[in-house]
């Protein structure tokens, strides 16, 4: 029998606007590494206790 139920970890993606250059970028909130803006290299998400600390402006939450 084929297993159809694969446990999916609840992941949250955020659409963040860079405060420096206004670039909009979709990032994974629970990342364990620093996420930088692809345009200006500004830090958008900083790891903090398993949950990302958002440095930019959150535009949208995608679940
Ligand atoms: Zn930027």
């Amino acid at each position: 029998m084929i297993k159809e139920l694969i446990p999916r970890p609840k992941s949250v993606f955020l659409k963040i606007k860079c405060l420096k250059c206004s670039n909009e970028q979709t990032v994974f909130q629970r990342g364990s590494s620093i996420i930088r803006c692809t345009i200006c290299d500004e830090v958008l998400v900083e790891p903090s206790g398993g949950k990302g600390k958002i440095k930019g402006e959150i535009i949208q939450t995608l679940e």
Side-chain angles (χ1 to χ4, degrees):
M1 207 175 170
I2 302 161
K3 256 191 175 179
E4 282 181 20
L5 287 169
I6 301 158
R8 274 193 291 173
K10 204 179 180 186
S11 54
V12 179
F13 286 89
L14 300 171
K15 205 171 186 184
I16 293 177
K17 187 177 174 183
C18 176
L19 297 176
K20 208 172 171 183
C21 72
S22 298
N23 169 50
E24 288 176 18
Q25 200 170 314
T26 304
V27 299
F28 183 46
Q29 194 189 8
R30 288 165 78 191
S32 53
S33 56
I34 286 175
I35 299 164
R36 290 178 185 274
C37 174
T38 51
I39 309 295
C40 72
D41 219 31
E42 181 82 348
V43 175
L44 296 179
V45 182
E46 210 172 54
S48 163
K51 208 177 178 186
K53 193 178 170 189
I54 313 301
K55 309 281 270 183
E57 186 190 334
I58 300 166
I59 296 169
Q60 204 182 345
T61 309
L62 313 154
E63 284 186 62

